[in-house]
Amino acid sequence: DTAVSQTPKYLVTQMGNDKSIKCEQNLGHDTMYWYKQDSKKFLKIMFSYNNKELIINETVPNRFSPKSPDKAHLNLHINSLELGDSAVYFCASSQVFGSSYEQYFGPGTRLTVT
Amino acid sequence: AQSVAQPEDQVNVAEGNPLTVKCTYSVSGNPYLFWYVQYPNRGLQFLLKYITGDNLVKGSYGFEAEFNKSQTSFHLKKPSALVSDSALYFCAVRDNGNTGKLIFGQGTTLQVKP
């Protein structure tokens, strides 16, 4: 039973296109996150939602727009894709308020912009 | 500002030998510390955490980590390495705010040779 799932796993698209990545967690957590892992494997947080409220919005181009329809889902929409957006995008979830602090990660979406 | 450093890009160890992956941190207040492992083309998997209590924390797959407040370190250890332990390891510290944000080190590649 997958805890944090993402679709699609792979995404290949051309510059200028718009694409979305979806994430779902069935852990009952109150907070979800988007991370970007670059080609050097460095992980950087992009956004976070707590119970549908945006609580982290790092320095990310406004072409990136997260949406959380409910606390189990967090989507990432990217407009006007650029070559530099090529990376692996990870969704994660955690229970921020409570005794469990660790985050659980999805399998990642490898985005390739050509 | 909180930060995490993993001073080694790669650690090489022979199978059966003990392994150590180093991590140092800088936080204000009490640190919440985590180790994650990433296998090729997979998401991050939670290994262990230090929140409070005993300085030696035991986690998944036989890994443990030692919290040392005076040296601000949280090194990951395993008494006997397996070839299957070869992966990318991330140390992380939780940000002091209420967002649950994790700040990751740059990662250390562990290579265990038969």
Side-chain angles (χ1 to χ4, degrees), chain A residues 9 33 35 37 41 43 45 55-56 58 90 96-97 99 101-103 105-107 110, chain B residues 32 34 36 38 41-44 46 49 51 88 90 94 98-102 104 106:
Chain A
K9 190 167 173 64
Y33 310 82
Y35 288 87
Q37 186 173 46
K41 305 296 185 184
L43 274 165
I45 191 162
I55 59 171
I56 296 175
E58 296 288 305
F90 287 103
V96 170
F97 298 103
S99 60
Y101 298 97
E102 63 270 22
Q103 294 182 15
F105 284 74
R110 183 175 295 275
Chain B
Y32 294 168
F34 305 84
Y36 285 83
Q38 184 179 22
N41 300 313
R42 303 283 295 277
L44 277 72
F46 169 70
K49 65 183 176 186
I51 306 299
L88 180 59
F90 289 97
R94 179 174 155 138
N98 287 330
T99 63
K101 174 180 172 181
L102 291 181
F104 285 87
Q106 70 270 36

Side-chain angles (χ1 to χ4, degrees), chain B residues 2-23:
Chain B
Q2 281 75 242
S3 66
V4 174
Q6 294 179 242
E8 302 153 316
D9 287 338
Q10 181 155 328
V11 170
N12 297 311
V13 65
E15 188 174 31
N17 283 359
L19 69 88
T20 298
V21 183
K22 295 180 180 176
C23 172

Side-chain angles (χ1 to χ4, degrees), chain B residues 51-65:
Chain B
I51 306 299
T52 186
D54 288 342
N55 290 342
L56 187 63
V57 178
K58 294 191 185 295
S60 306
Y61 312 122
F63 284 93
E64 57 190 28

Side-chain angles (χ1 to χ4, degrees), chain A:
Chain A
D1 207 18
T2 305
V4 182
S5 59
Q6 292 178 231
T7 53
K9 190 167 173 64
Y10 300 97
L11 191 50
V12 181
T13 189
Q14 291 183 331
M15 284 175 54
N17 285 349
D18 304 337
K19 289 294 178 186
S20 292
I21 307 172
K22 296 185 175 183
C23 178
E24 177 180 0
Q25 57 99 359
N26 62 6
L27 297 167
H29 288 161
D30 60 8
T31 305
M32 296 182 73
Y33 310 82
W34 278 114
Y35 288 87
K36 180 179 180 180
Q37 186 173 46
D38 62 23
S39 58
K40 295 184 178 179
K41 305 296 185 184
F42 187 70
L43 274 165
K44 190 176 188 328
I45 191 162
M46 301 171 68
F47 302 104
S48 177
Y49 272 78
N50 174 265
N51 285 321
K52 302 193 293 177
E53 180 184 349
L54 183 66
I55 59 171
I56 296 175
N57 187 353
E58 296 288 305
T59 308
V60 176
N62 58 15
R63 298 181 294 102
F64 289 78
S65 53
K67 282 203 173 78
S68 181
D70 56 61
K71 73 173 190 176
H73 295 85
L74 179 61
N75 303 324
L76 182 66
H77 188 75
I78 315 170
N79 290 326
S80 304
L81 278 154
E82 300 177 357
L83 292 177
D85 297 332
S86 295
V88 181
Y89 292 85
F90 287 103
C91 176
S93 73
S94 73
Q95 185 64 26
V96 170
F97 298 103
S99 60
S100 173
Y101 298 97
E102 63 270 22
Q103 294 182 15
Y104 291 87
F105 284 74
T109 296
R110 183 175 295 275
L111 172 64
T112 304
V113 183
T114 61

